[in-house]
Amino acid sequence: MRIPLALALVLALLAVPAIPAQAADLKIVNGGFGQGLTGWADSHSPGGAAAVTWQGRTSARIADADAKAYGLESTPGLAATANTRYVVFAKVWVDTGSADLYVRFRGSSGQLLGSGSTHVAGPTGGWADVQAAGTAPTGTTAVSALVYSGVANQGTAYWDDILISKADTDLGVQLQSSVPNATTFAGGQVYGLYTGTAETNPQLAAIDVATETVTKKITIPDTASSPTVGGWAATTATDGTVYLGTYPNSKLYSYVPGQSAVTDLGRAEGGYSVIFGLAPGANGKIYGGSYNGGQYFKYDNGKISSIAAPVWGTVEYVRSIAHDPVANASYLGVGTNAALIRFDNVTGDRSDLLPPAYAVNSMVGGVTWTGGRLFAWVDRTLLVLDVIKNADGTYRSAVDATITDVDLHISDARDGKVWFVRDGYLCSYDLAAKTWQQTTVQPGLDVTAYGWVGDTLVGLGASQDGTKIFKYAPATGQATTHLVPNTPVLPAAINALGAGPDGRIYTGGYLTGGTGVYDPLRGDADDTAPDTPTLAGLTQTDSLKTINGKLYFGTYPSARLYEYDPAGPWPPTKLYEGGHAGDKADDCANGDDPPPQDRPYALAGSPDGTIYLGTVPKYGKRSGALNIWNPGAGGRTLCVVRDQAVVSLAYAGGKVYGGTSTRGALGVTPVLEPGASAALFDYDPVKDAVTPHPLPAAITNRQAITAVAEVDGKIWGFAEGWLFVYDPASDTWPTVKKLFTVDYTQDTARAWRDANLVTIKQDPASVYGSIGDQLFKIDKATKAMTVLLTAAGMDGLATDSFGNLYYKIGERLHRFTTS
């Protein structure tokens, strides 16, 4: 018996369970017709449809030669929610006649409740991208796609790549990390603290040194009002208790080896945001240092108490700490004006031991007291210092040795030697001879701490493959480096996003680095983990942009510029490093060069292959720069506006246009330069000259121009919440209009990176953007603005070839369809 076509379609739609509602992407079974017509059912008259290869693509052909209707509907229906907008995307080649694309909504019994459609008149002369959108009516449980030829039409059309999306889709986690930020040793175990995100708590892993296996993983607790995201500090007290310092709540935690949980000991006094260093004192005491008040504190007898805040001058950072239990003195590496403070815990007396030549640096990043010598790490230079008491009771230092290109962490002294990595090789420093020697051993990981287990030097840290453990026996010279299985793998927050030349959406990880790759509309059903393994090799990405068919990354620290061709191998190629430019004593004053640069928030490029990078300087400086890399001439860094960072760029008409921010780097006070106004400028590569463009009166005294974009030959931008349009041809400002209320004094981080502006070919009449927590579009002609979506924590903006918009909230990527 022939089953009626309508009933057959309903049965087909109900035969296979719908994809679970939590699936990030709704994926049609066989949407590309690679398996013939599997997953598709005749929706109207039988026949008329076939799976064929057409112009190099597997596709579905609907040939309509009579006065009947023919169609193919995707089965099973995908799980859908009522009152939600859905869009079907497809490629169609209409050879003759016309064609129609539908999005269809059905209820729990398979009944058709509604639809949305688009009509395509032919012939198209090639493959055309089409979309059909509609809002699911009340009672909707499933959504499907229909390709169709109506009764009145006669002709032939070919269909391919049928895809479906909700209007606003949480695509889930894009990046994962297995990087221990802080490490300490206790009782044959090494403890690694793994950073999480605002949504995912960090974890402490106990790793047995002998077996190189994880014996315990413990989640660090927090509260909604005081979240713990990660930690930079770990140490072991004299009684064997492990202590951890976290951020952004500046909590101190303790862990007794063998127990199943950590103990929350409370916040470092003063509400400071990051505990950067911990060191053990006598009798179980713990000393620590924090940001952002330069606080020096201790934990003793169950109580956290502040010793000094700030510990020296007006410093904001106690970035590193070491303790001499014999003298009861602590050594504190501080910044952002670098100093190395000896603090007498009996008298409270303080002396700065940092040699004057290094005071131009922003901070002392590492301090170790061992073997009767003080080791201080300053911008990859290791200073070996002899601490000497003066006749008046103060202290000074004498430099025993200066070693360059050294990684941050060093070992405690053993048999008269201290061990460290220089330029990738394990080296030793002989305390008596005051000389260092390089071995042939390459540990192959970024060590976060060294410890001695018996006579073996052990280091734990991160590599491109994950956490590794390094062992070295000085007596024999034998060394091993092994991957540690089953270490915590946690989501990483998205710091930057953009579309690659291959059409995929790339994301860069915050803090722990890494790169995520998402193929639009083709993600898997698991939104708790990335669709593809996180690519290692890049540190924190602050910006990424496709230019001339290649993808460019700006990474922190040191404002590094990388180039990547998706057709070639990963990782990308480093082109330039703004952190090596300029002099640490300079700040664009009196004709000086810019200081070394750090945070690359803006990218632009010209057709001749020149790449421009807008940057924020290193800690403690105000003057950012325009970094220019040319394939033939190499790279250089230029001052643009003294005391201001360059945070937005766009190329137009042979020039680069940029916007500045009055916020300096971290560690400058005040954070926003008082009385200063952000600037719009252009750089002319022919004249090698920077020209400022004075802002109209309405937008003077704005603190930042966080977006500039070329739109139809004009420069569109946002100065705080004010939209402006600048016409280079006439040197006029045809539009200056307040669209949003923005106060960067309440959120100074937004003064570096806030607004975004993009255009899409599918809607040539509009400009799309994001600012604060809002996604919006602006009519090009009228400048009327429509808010499309408001979501707390929204940031960034990118587009795909379908015209969809992408933004991020914390660790998760989101897509918004513009149809």
Side-chain angles (χ1 to χ4, degrees):
M1 179 180 68
R2 176 182 290 274
I3 300 174
L5 285 172
L7 178 58
L9 179 59
V10 169
L11 292 174
L13 288 167
L14 297 176
V16 181
I19 291 177
Q22 68 269 22
D25 267 324
L26 300 174
K27 296 181 73 175
I28 293 174
V29 175
N30 190 31
F33 303 101
Q35 290 79 50
L37 297 183
T38 300
W40 295 84
D42 287 330
S43 62
H44 291 75
S45 302
V52 299
T53 299
W54 177 255
Q55 299 298 318
R57 301 183 71 103
T58 58
S59 59
R61 180 183 65 205
I62 296 183
D64 184 350
D66 52 34
K68 295 180 180 179
Y70 297 92
L72 288 172
E73 187 165 1
S74 61
T75 63
L78 303 175
T81 304
N83 304 313
T84 300
R85 191 167 179 80
Y86 291 85
V87 182
V88 172
F89 303 86
K91 289 186 178 298
V92 63
W93 186 314
V94 180
D95 195 34
T96 57
S98 62
D100 295 277
L101 176 68
Y102 281 79
V103 57
R104 304 187 100 186
F105 304 104
R106 296 182 180 273
S108 58
S109 300
Q111 73 276 26
L112 182 63
L113 299 178
S115 64
S117 66
T118 188
H119 180 73
V120 185
T124 59
W127 290 105
D129 293 312
V130 295
Q131 302 172 13
T135 300
T138 300
T140 295
T141 60
V143 60
S144 58
L146 169 68
V147 294
Y148 178 74
S149 175
V151 171
N153 178 60
Q154 291 187 18
T156 301
Y158 300 85
W159 295 91
D160 195 13
D161 277 356
I162 316 295
L163 303 160
I164 292 182
S165 175
K166 290 189 295 184
D168 186 29
T169 305
D170 180 351
L171 298 169
V173 171
Q174 300 297 304
L175 297 141
Q176 288 179 325
S177 172
S178 183
V179 175
N181 267 7
T183 302
T184 189
F185 290 78
Q189 302 272 306
V190 55
Y191 294 89
L193 181 57
Y194 291 77
T195 286
T197 68
E199 295 82 18
T200 303
N201 285 42
Q203 291 185 10
L204 177 68
I207 300 169
D208 184 81
V209 173
T211 63
E212 301 180 357
T213 58
V214 174
T215 59
K216 197 178 293 289
K217 287 188 282 192
I218 300 168
T219 298
I220 308 300
D222 63 0
T223 63
S225 60
S226 181
T228 297
V229 172
W232 283 112
T235 197
T236 303
T238 55
D239 62 5
T241 302
V242 170
Y243 287 86
L244 311 171
T246 66
Y247 67 87
N249 54 11
S250 199
K251 282 281 188 78
L252 185 66
Y253 294 87
S254 67
Y255 174 70
V256 177
Q259 294 188 351
S260 59
V262 300
T263 300
D264 183 346
L265 302 176
R267 299 185 67 177
E269 288 189 0
Y272 303 110
S273 61
V274 183
I275 296 177
F276 268 121
L278 295 172
N283 303 316
K285 292 186 181 69
I286 295 294
Y287 293 93
S290 64
Y291 165 83
N292 54 357
Q295 181 187 210
Y296 170 49
F297 67 89
K298 71 176 178 179
Y299 176 76
D300 187 22
N301 292 321
K303 181 183 178 181
I304 301 173
S305 57
S306 180
I307 298 172
V311 70
W312 184 259
T314 59
V315 300
E316 294 188 351
Y317 289 81
V318 176
R319 188 61 181 84
S320 52
I321 184 170
H323 185 73
D324 176 3
V326 175
N328 195 9
S330 295
Y331 298 95
L332 310 172
V334 304
T336 54
N337 296 316
L340 178 55
I341 307 305
R342 183 189 187 276
F343 190 100
D344 190 312
N345 289 295
V346 177
T347 66
D349 291 340
R350 293 161 239 198
S351 301
D352 184 3
L353 307 180
L354 187 66
Y358 295 91
V360 295
N361 287 273
S362 58
M363 66 183 68
V364 177
V367 181
T368 302
W369 172 263
T370 187
R373 289 295 184 268
L374 182 63
F375 292 79
W377 187 93
V378 186
D379 195 18
R380 295 194 60 79
T381 295
L382 183 63
L383 303 175
V384 185
L385 305 175
D386 184 13
V387 179
I388 302 168
K389 186 174 183 178
N390 298 315
D392 62 359
T394 60
Y395 287 80
R396 59 187 170 85
S397 68
V399 179
D400 282 356
T402 301
I403 311 170
T404 59
D405 297 322
V406 176
D407 289 355
L408 175 59
H409 297 281
I410 70 170
S411 77
D412 287 336
R414 178 67 64 93
D415 299 327
K417 293 182 178 180
V418 169
W419 297 85
F420 55 91
V421 170
R422 179 186 184 275
D423 200 22
Y425 288 89
L426 183 67
C427 302
S428 64
Y429 176 79
D430 189 303
L431 291 163
K434 301 181 183 179
T435 59
W436 64 274
Q437 185 174 7
Q438 179 178 299
T439 72
T440 59
V441 174
Q442 294 180 281
L445 70 160
D446 183 9
V447 173
T448 50
Y450 292 99
W452 290 97
V453 179
D455 293 326
T456 300
L457 176 67
V458 181
L460 188 78
S463 72
Q464 291 192 16
D465 304 323
T467 300
K468 286 185 176 179
I469 190 168
F470 165 70
K471 295 179 182 177
Y472 177 73
T476 65
Q478 296 299 306
T480 61
T481 299
H482 294 145
L483 189 68
V484 181
N486 199 35
T487 54
V489 179
L490 302 178
I494 300 170
N495 194 56
L497 66 154
D502 54 357
R504 298 187 291 180
I505 302 298
Y506 287 78
T507 50
Y510 174 68
L511 194 64
T512 54
T515 305
V517 184
Y518 167 73
D519 193 359
L521 300 165
R522 296 174 176 85
D524 61 29
D526 181 7
D527 60 0
T528 65
D531 293 340
T532 57
T534 300
L535 298 173
L538 295 183
T539 55
Q540 175 180 306
T541 296
D542 282 349
S543 57
L544 52 91
K545 187 180 183 67
T546 292
I547 303 170
N548 301 329
K550 294 181 180 178
L551 183 60
Y552 292 88
F553 296 83
T555 70
Y556 165 89
S558 290
R560 300 182 181 107
L561 174 66
Y562 290 86
E563 179 185 81
Y564 175 59
D565 183 347
W570 183 271
T573 301
K574 187 172 77 169
L575 302 178
Y576 185 64
E577 188 162 348
H580 286 170
D583 188 285
K584 297 168 187 174
D586 291 342
D587 208 358
C588 287
N590 303 318
D592 291 339
D593 291 330
Q597 300 296 297
D598 221 16
R599 302 175 189 270
Y601 285 126
L603 271 165
S606 63
D608 69 354
T610 302
I611 305 299
Y612 300 89
L613 198 65
T615 53
V616 174
K618 281 189 176 289
Y619 289 79
K621 300 292 185 178
R622 285 201 176 274
S623 298
L626 180 66
N627 305 264
I628 305 171
W629 184 85
N630 183 279
R636 61 196 181 109
T637 300
L638 302 179
C639 290
V640 177
V641 179
R642 182 185 172 188
D643 292 333
Q644 296 189 25
V646 179
V647 295
S648 54
L649 291 174
Y651 182 83
K655 298 179 180 180
V656 174
Y657 292 82
T660 69
S661 172
T662 64
R663 179 182 179 178
L666 289 177
V668 293
T669 303
V671 175
L672 296 164
E673 188 184 8
S677 176
L680 180 73
F681 68 89
D682 78 56
Y683 170 75
D684 186 334
V686 175
K687 298 179 180 178
D688 191 25
V690 173
T691 301
H693 298 280
L695 300 177
I699 54 174
T700 55
N701 300 319
R702 300 296 138 192
Q703 293 163 332
I705 297 174
T706 55
V708 290
E710 185 275 330
V711 180
D712 301 333
K714 296 180 176 62
I715 302 301
W716 286 45
F718 264 96
E720 295 180 21
W722 288 75
L723 170 71
F724 66 78
V725 177
Y726 171 71
D727 185 352
S730 61
D731 192 25
T732 60
W733 303 78
T735 300
V736 179
K737 183 178 183 181
K738 185 176 182 180
L739 298 182
F740 298 94
T741 298
V742 175
D743 184 358
Y744 291 140
T745 63
Q746 301 302 309
D747 187 356
T748 55
R750 293 253 185 218
W752 278 343
R753 181 171 63 181
D754 186 17
N756 300 274
L757 291 169
V758 298
T759 56
I760 59 174
K761 65 179 181 180
Q762 289 83 354
D763 184 6
S766 303
V767 175
Y768 290 82
S770 65
I771 190 171
D773 296 332
Q774 296 168 103
L775 186 67
F776 59 87
K777 75 173 180 178
I778 301 171
D779 185 283
K780 285 184 180 180
T782 68
K783 307 303 185 293
M785 185 270 295
T786 303
V787 173
L788 304 173
L789 184 70
T790 300
M794 174 191 297
D795 192 22
L797 194 62
T799 67
D800 65 18
S801 61
F802 301 98
N804 300 318
L805 305 176
Y806 293 81
Y807 62 92
K808 59 100 170 175
I809 299 178
E811 64 188 34
R812 306 175 79 86
L813 182 68
H814 292 250
R815 176 178 59 239
F816 183 86
T817 62
T818 56
S819 297

